[in-house]
PDB file of all heavy atoms in Angstrom:
ATOM      1  N   ILE V 149     106.232  92.756 102.968  1.00  0.00           N
ATOM      2  CA  ILE V 149     104.986  92.026 103.280  1.00  0.00           C
ATOM      3  C   ILE V 149     104.219  91.916 101.955  1.00  0.00           C
ATOM      4  O   ILE V 149     104.375  92.698 101.057  1.00  0.00           O
ATOM      5  CB  ILE V 149     104.206  92.661 104.409  1.00  0.00           C
ATOM      6  CG1 ILE V 149     103.772  94.119 104.047  1.00  0.00           C
ATOM      7  CG2 ILE V 149     104.974  92.695 105.719  1.00  0.00           C
ATOM      8  CD1 ILE V 149     102.780  94.658 105.074  1.00  0.00           C
ATOM      9  N   ASP V 150     103.359  90.912 101.936  1.00  0.00           N
ATOM     10  CA  ASP V 150     102.647  90.624 100.676  1.00  0.00           C
ATOM     11  C   ASP V 150     101.375  91.443 100.444  1.00  0.00           C
ATOM     12  O   ASP V 150     100.964  92.148 101.409  1.00  0.00           O
ATOM     13  CB  ASP V 150     102.339  89.103 100.562  1.00  0.00           C
ATOM     14  CG  ASP V 150     101.567  88.580 101.749  1.00  0.00           C
ATOM     15  OD1 ASP V 150     100.839  89.349 102.382  1.00  0.00           O
ATOM     16  OD2 ASP V 150     101.718  87.388 102.133  1.00  0.00           O
ATOM     17  N   LEU V 151     100.860  91.349  99.296  1.00  0.00           N
ATOM     18  CA  LEU V 151      99.616  92.150  98.950  1.00  0.00           C
ATOM     19  C   LEU V 151      98.445  91.852  99.897  1.00  0.00           C
ATOM     20  O   LEU V 151      97.794  92.868 100.315  1.00  0.00           O
ATOM     21  CB  LEU V 151      99.234  91.941  97.564  1.00  0.00           C
ATOM     22  CG  LEU V 151     100.064  92.672  96.455  1.00  0.00           C
ATOM     23  CD1 LEU V 151      99.837  92.192  95.096  1.00  0.00           C
ATOM     24  CD2 LEU V 151      99.843  94.134  96.553  1.00  0.00           C
ATOM     25  N   PRO V 152      98.125  90.610 100.211  1.00  0.00           N
ATOM     26  CA  PRO V 152      96.991  90.445 101.184  1.00  0.00           C
ATOM     27  C   PRO V 152      97.217  91.116 102.497  1.00  0.00           C
ATOM     28  O   PRO V 152      96.337  91.665 103.095  1.00  0.00           O
ATOM     29  CB  PRO V 152      96.894  88.900 101.340  1.00  0.00           C
ATOM     30  CG  PRO V 152      97.495  88.382 100.093  1.00  0.00           C
ATOM     31  CD  PRO V 152      98.609  89.334  99.709  1.00  0.00           C
ATOM     32  N   THR V 153      98.465  91.084 102.970  1.00  0.00           N
ATOM     33  CA  THR V 153      98.797  91.668 104.286  1.00  0.00           C
ATOM     34  C   THR V 153      98.693  93.201 104.183  1.00  0.00           C
ATOM     35  O   THR V 153      98.221  93.889 105.117  1.00  0.00           O
ATOM     36  CB  THR V 153     100.138  91.263 104.772  1.00  0.00           C
ATOM     37  OG1 THR V 153     100.234  89.864 104.749  1.00  0.00           O
ATOM     38  CG2 THR V 153     100.444  91.754 106.223  1.00  0.00           C
ATOM     39  N   ILE V 154      99.191  93.774 103.048  1.00  0.00           N
ATOM     40  CA  ILE V 154      99.071  95.244 102.882  1.00  0.00           C
ATOM     41  C   ILE V 154      97.576  95.635 102.849  1.00  0.00           C
ATOM     42  O   ILE V 154      97.167  96.664 103.490  1.00  0.00           O
ATOM     43  CB  ILE V 154      99.743  95.660 101.592  1.00  0.00           C
ATOM     44  CG1 ILE V 154     101.239  95.426 101.692  1.00  0.00           C
ATOM     45  CG2 ILE V 154      99.452  97.122 101.220  1.00  0.00           C
ATOM     46  CD1 ILE V 154     102.038  95.672 100.349  1.00  0.00           C
ATOM     47  N   SER V 155      96.784  94.861 102.139  1.00  0.00           N
ATOM     48  CA  SER V 155      95.366  95.182 102.068  1.00  0.00           C
ATOM     49  C   SER V 155      94.675  95.065 103.470  1.00  0.00           C
ATOM     50  O   SER V 155      93.895  95.951 103.881  1.00  0.00           O
ATOM     51  CB  SER V 155      94.614  94.177 101.120  1.00  0.00           C
ATOM     52  OG  SER V 155      93.253  94.419 101.120  1.00  0.00           O
ATOM     53  N   TRP V 156      95.076  94.042 104.236  1.00  0.00           N
ATOM     54  CA  TRP V 156      94.559  93.932 105.629  1.00  0.00           C
ATOM     55  C   TRP V 156      95.037  95.172 106.457  1.00  0.00           C
ATOM     56  O   TRP V 156      94.191  95.680 107.217  1.00  0.00           O
ATOM     57  CB  TRP V 156      95.127  92.636 106.188  1.00  0.00           C
ATOM     58  CG  TRP V 156      94.786  92.426 107.648  1.00  0.00           C
ATOM     59  CD1 TRP V 156      93.713  91.784 108.122  1.00  0.00           C
ATOM     60  CD2 TRP V 156      95.588  92.869 108.793  1.00  0.00           C
ATOM     61  NE1 TRP V 156      93.747  91.870 109.536  1.00  0.00           N
ATOM     62  CE2 TRP V 156      94.834  92.430 109.944  1.00  0.00           C
ATOM     63  CE3 TRP V 156      96.774  93.498 108.975  1.00  0.00           C
ATOM     64  CZ2 TRP V 156      95.336  92.660 111.216  1.00  0.00           C
ATOM     65  CZ3 TRP V 156      97.322  93.773 110.193  1.00  0.00           C
ATOM     66  CH2 TRP V 156      96.560  93.402 111.345  1.00  0.00           C
ATOM     67  N   LEU V 157      96.314  95.504 106.313  1.00  0.00           N
ATOM     68  CA  LEU V 157      96.804  96.629 107.140  1.00  0.00           C
ATOM     69  C   LEU V 157      96.167  97.951 106.811  1.00  0.00           C
ATOM     70  O   LEU V 157      95.817  98.754 107.707  1.00  0.00           O
ATOM     71  CB  LEU V 157      98.324  96.781 106.884  1.00  0.00           C
ATOM     72  CG  LEU V 157      99.066  97.875 107.681  1.00  0.00           C
ATOM     73  CD1 LEU V 157      98.886  97.639 109.169  1.00  0.00           C
ATOM     74  CD2 LEU V 157     100.501  97.923 107.291  1.00  0.00           C
ATOM     75  N   GLU V 158      95.817  98.172 105.490  1.00  0.00           N
ATOM     76  CA  GLU V 158      95.062  99.364 105.086  1.00  0.00           C
ATOM     77  C   GLU V 158      93.734  99.460 105.836  1.00  0.00           C
ATOM     78  O   GLU V 158      93.350 100.454 106.440  1.00  0.00           O
ATOM     79  CB  GLU V 158      94.842  99.349 103.588  1.00  0.00           C
ATOM     80  CG  GLU V 158      96.088  99.626 102.750  1.00  0.00           C
ATOM     81  CD  GLU V 158      95.855  99.389 101.312  1.00  0.00           C
ATOM     82  OE1 GLU V 158      94.823  98.801 100.880  1.00  0.00           O
ATOM     83  OE2 GLU V 158      96.737  99.841 100.495  1.00  0.00           O
ATOM     84  N   ASP V 159      92.998  98.336 105.794  1.00  0.00           N
ATOM     85  CA  ASP V 159      91.669  98.322 106.427  1.00  0.00           C
ATOM     86  C   ASP V 159      91.833  98.508 107.948  1.00  0.00           C
ATOM     87  O   ASP V 159      90.990  99.185 108.546  1.00  0.00           O
ATOM     88  CB  ASP V 159      90.994  96.953 106.255  1.00  0.00           C
ATOM     89  CG  ASP V 159      90.591  96.800 104.741  1.00  0.00           C
ATOM     90  OD1 ASP V 159      90.575  97.751 103.986  1.00  0.00           O
ATOM     91  OD2 ASP V 159      90.350  95.651 104.313  1.00  0.00           O
ATOM     92  N   LYS V 160      92.816  97.900 108.584  1.00  0.00           N
ATOM     93  CA  LYS V 160      93.024  98.009 110.018  1.00  0.00           C
ATOM     94  C   LYS V 160      93.328  99.421 110.436  1.00  0.00           C
ATOM     95  O   LYS V 160      92.788  99.927 111.392  1.00  0.00           O
ATOM     96  CB  LYS V 160      94.155  97.071 110.432  1.00  0.00           C
ATOM     97  CG  LYS V 160      94.226  96.708 111.885  1.00  0.00           C
ATOM     98  CD  LYS V 160      93.055  95.745 112.240  1.00  0.00           C
ATOM     99  CE  LYS V 160      93.152  95.257 113.673  1.00  0.00           C
ATOM    100  NZ  LYS V 160      91.930  94.376 113.933  1.00  0.00           N
ATOM    101  N   LEU V 161      94.246 100.105 109.732  1.00  0.00           N
ATOM    102  CA  LEU V 161      94.634 101.447 110.047  1.00  0.00           C
ATOM    103  C   LEU V 161      93.437 102.435 109.892  1.00  0.00           C
ATOM    104  O   LEU V 161      93.281 103.376 110.646  1.00  0.00           O
ATOM    105  CB  LEU V 161      95.795 101.856 109.227  1.00  0.00           C
ATOM    106  CG  LEU V 161      97.141 101.138 109.520  1.00  0.00           C
ATOM    107  CD1 LEU V 161      98.245 101.703 108.619  1.00  0.00           C
ATOM    108  CD2 LEU V 161      97.530 101.275 110.935  1.00  0.00           C
ATOM    109  N   LEU V 162      92.624 102.162 108.868  1.00  0.00           N
ATOM    110  CA  LEU V 162      91.443 103.051 108.648  1.00  0.00           C
ATOM    111  C   LEU V 162      90.415 102.807 109.706  1.00  0.00           C
ATOM    112  O   LEU V 162      89.541 103.728 109.888  1.00  0.00           O
ATOM    113  CB  LEU V 162      90.872 102.720 107.261  1.00  0.00           C
ATOM    114  CG  LEU V 162      91.678 103.278 106.084  1.00  0.00           C
ATOM    115  CD1 LEU V 162      91.114 102.734 104.806  1.00  0.00           C
ATOM    116  CD2 LEU V 162      91.706 104.818 106.056  1.00  0.00           C
ATOM    117  N   SER V 163      90.393 101.691 110.363  1.00  0.00           N
ATOM    118  CA  SER V 163      89.316 101.322 111.347  1.00  0.00           C
ATOM    119  C   SER V 163      89.690 101.770 112.809  1.00  0.00           C
ATOM    120  O   SER V 163      88.748 101.855 113.657  1.00  0.00           O
ATOM    121  CB  SER V 163      89.041  99.848 111.307  1.00  0.00           C
ATOM    122  OG  SER V 163      90.122  99.093 111.848  1.00  0.00           O
ATOM    123  N   ILE V 164      90.968 102.044 113.039  1.00  0.00           N
ATOM    124  CA  ILE V 164      91.357 102.424 114.459  1.00  0.00           C
ATOM    125  C   ILE V 164      91.467 103.953 114.557  1.00  0.00           C
ATOM    126  O   ILE V 164      91.732 104.617 113.666  1.00  0.00           O
ATOM    127  CB  ILE V 164      92.664 101.697 114.825  1.00  0.00           C
ATOM    128  CG1 ILE V 164      93.811 102.136 113.884  1.00  0.00           C
ATOM    129  CG2 ILE V 164      92.471 100.241 114.795  1.00  0.00           C
ATOM    130  CD1 ILE V 164      95.123 101.592 114.346  1.00  0.00           C
ATOM    131  N   LYS V 165      91.188 104.385 115.773  1.00  0.00           N
ATOM    132  CA  LYS V 165      91.187 105.820 116.044  1.00  0.00           C
ATOM    133  C   LYS V 165      92.524 106.167 116.795  1.00  0.00           C
ATOM    134  O   LYS V 165      92.544 106.418 117.931  1.00  0.00           O
ATOM    135  CB  LYS V 165      90.007 106.229 116.985  1.00  0.00           C
ATOM    136  CG  LYS V 165      88.627 105.982 116.295  1.00  0.00           C
ATOM    137  CD  LYS V 165      87.456 106.399 117.151  1.00  0.00           C
ATOM    138  CE  LYS V 165      86.149 106.295 116.419  1.00  0.00           C
ATOM    139  NZ  LYS V 165      84.944 106.622 117.254  1.00  0.00           N
ATOM    140  N   LYS V 166      93.526 106.251 115.893  1.00  0.00           N
ATOM    141  CA  LYS V 166      94.805 106.591 116.429  1.00  0.00           C
ATOM    142  C   LYS V 166      95.488 107.547 115.449  1.00  0.00           C
ATOM    143  O   LYS V 166      95.212 107.603 114.330  1.00  0.00           O
ATOM    144  CB  LYS V 166      95.734 105.372 116.599  1.00  0.00           C
ATOM    145  CG  LYS V 166      95.374 104.434 117.739  1.00  0.00           C
ATOM    146  CD  LYS V 166      96.430 103.272 117.919  1.00  0.00           C
ATOM    147  CE  LYS V 166      96.004 102.440 119.108  1.00  0.00           C
ATOM    148  NZ  LYS V 166      96.997 101.434 119.376  1.00  0.00           N
TER     149      LYS V 166
END
Side-chain angles (χ1 to χ4, degrees):
I149 61 174
D150 54 29
L151 282 168
T153 308
I154 292 172
S155 177
W156 175 89
L157 181 60
E158 288 171 346
D159 293 342
K160 199 73 175 175
L161 293 180
L162 288 169
S163 69
I164 60 177
K165 294 181 179 179
K166 290 188 179 184

